[in-house]
Amino acid sequence: KISYPGEEEAVIAIRNIEKVDKLVFRGVKTDAFGYPLKLATMHWPWGAGMFATSLGPHDACFVLAANHEKGSGYMINWWIPAALQKELIESTKINECKNGCIGILIWHFVHHTPVNLWGAGPWVP
């Protein structure tokens, strides 16, 4: 599934909207720590390079570290293990959307990873 990169880009866009609101309509020029408010540039989020692709009911492949360049990334998992991984991703995401404790905990950690492992974004978000 590729919803994760879309969610990450949406977070960047929303934070920029909040900053524009502060700068333009409230006259706030700095954040809570005194640093100047600056708009973030859109970038390739580190999770955008992970793809779990279904190849049938009991088959899939998982690509890691892909980017915008053709042929990038590594297929690190395939067949039944990748299908199970894909099922785990889907079921925990659905659980999160239903306000389930397990899904919320798992996806909170995914979205709040303390460092970006690859991609064009900052090392520490």
Side-chain angles (χ1 to χ4, degrees):
K1 297 294 181 183
I2 57 172
S3 61
Y4 175 77
E7 291 175 14
E8 289 299 304
E9 290 292 320
V11 168
I12 296 167
I14 291 297
R15 287 184 181 155
N16 278 343
I17 290 169
E18 290 172 342
K19 288 176 184 177
V20 167
D21 179 63
K22 288 177 182 177
L23 288 165
V24 175
F25 299 108
R26 297 187 204 174
V28 177
K29 304 293 182 202
T30 59
D31 65 13
F33 300 104
Y35 294 105
L37 287 176
K38 296 179 186 175
L39 297 182
T41 58
M42 299 305 279
H43 60 268
W44 187 268
W46 77 268
M50 297 184 286
F51 298 94
T53 304
S54 179
L55 302 172
H58 306 293
D59 197 5
C61 66
F62 185 72
V63 175
L64 183 68
N67 61 35
H68 61 281
E69 296 176 16
K70 185 177 180 177
S72 65
Y74 305 96
M75 186 167 66
I76 62 163
N77 197 2
W78 56 90
W79 195 47
I80 291 175
L84 292 172
Q85 178 184 12
K86 187 173 177 294
E87 183 64 32
L88 180 68
I89 291 168
E90 289 176 1
S91 61
T92 57
K93 191 64 186 168
I94 290 169
N95 184 264
E96 179 202 27
C97 292
K98 291 181 177 180
N99 289 320
C101 183
I102 299 293
I104 288 171
L105 290 172
I106 289 171
W107 286 96
H108 175 83
F109 176 75
V110 168
H111 289 291
H112 294 87
T113 303
V115 296
N116 289 326
L117 303 176
W118 54 81
W123 173 251
V124 179

